[in-house]
Amino acid sequence: MPHVDIKCFPRELNDDEKTALAKDITAVIVRHLQSKESSVSVALNEIQPAEWKAVWDAEIAPQMDTLIKKPGYSM
């Protein structure tokens, strides 16, 4: 713990870019949550634009009051 689960539209990231993304996110988590680097895991899940409403309905809208960064869009 902690686990970061990133959901985004498909991107064409190569393995080096994915590794750099995970490294940057891990550094932020370590700095702000005082976690050990070995405790952090990061997932990157690419969601097709046509399927994004399911993410909104299941994960964003129900948690709107507790999100620490709210989206600048609505559905």
Side-chain angles (χ1 to χ4, degrees):
M1 118 74 187
H3 175 70
V4 178
D5 185 4
I6 301 166
K7 292 180 177 65
C8 62
F9 289 169
R11 303 286 190 252
E12 293 189 21
L13 299 178
N14 64 39
D15 287 344
D16 289 340
E17 291 167 325
K18 289 177 185 177
T19 298
L21 175 62
K23 183 178 178 182
D24 290 350
I25 291 167
T26 298
V28 169
I29 295 295
V30 167
R31 184 173 70 247
H32 289 279
L33 299 182
Q34 292 77 49
S35 297
K36 291 190 281 184
E37 184 177 336
S38 62
S39 299
V40 179
S41 56
V42 179
L44 180 62
N45 296 292
E46 295 181 336
I47 311 295
Q48 293 298 322
E51 303 300 319
W52 190 257
K53 186 161 179 358
V55 173
W56 176 272
D57 290 345
E59 300 184 37
I60 299 171
Q63 298 181 53
M64 196 61 75
D65 289 341
T66 60
L67 292 177
I68 61 174
K69 166 60 174 86
K70 293 174 179 34
Y73 65 94
S74 60
M75 296 192 92

